[in-house]
Amino acid sequence: MRTLFIGGTKRGYQALHALIAHGANVVGVISLRQDEHERERYELPVRALAERHQIPLYETRRMKDRDYADVIAREIRPDLIVVV
């Protein structure tokens, strides 16, 4: 099953790590950048995890910043989307 992961917080990082550790076929990661004032920022760890496992990575502050519906439908083509 082709899985797309969307997230960027500590909880998101942990969920992505668990998906990969359990053998999920993660075919894309959309990392959500947190606000500058956030104490615990996880964009870099999420990016590093995706890169380490050679998973295509997209980064954004908001899903509205780009037409992600088109990217998801035409490029990533997931069977399942996990949002954390």
Side-chain angles (χ1 to χ4, degrees), residues 31 33 42-52 57 59:
S31 176
R33 285 185 244 133
Y42 274 82
E43 298 93 337
L44 293 177
V46 168
R47 181 187 311 141
L49 186 58
E51 288 174 351
R52 187 167 52 249
L57 174 71
E59 295 180 295

Side-chain angles (χ1 to χ4, degrees), residues 72-84:
I72 292 168
R74 296 183 193 272
E75 293 179 32
I76 303 171
R77 300 180 329 274
D79 299 310
L80 173 70
I81 299 175
V82 176
V83 181
V84 179

Side-chain angles (χ1 to χ4, degrees), residues 8 11 16 18 20 26 35 38 44 50 60 80 82-83:
R11 192 172 297 145
L16 177 59
I20 293 169
V26 181
D35 290 329
E38 297 290 336
L44 293 177
T60 188
L80 173 70
V82 176
V83 181

Side-chain angles (χ1 to χ4, degrees), residues 32-41 43 61:
L32 300 175
R33 285 185 244 133
Q34 295 172 266
D35 290 329
E36 296 296 325
H37 71 274
E38 297 290 336
R39 291 193 301 181
E40 291 185 352
R41 300 198 51 196
E43 298 93 337
R61 178 176 286 304

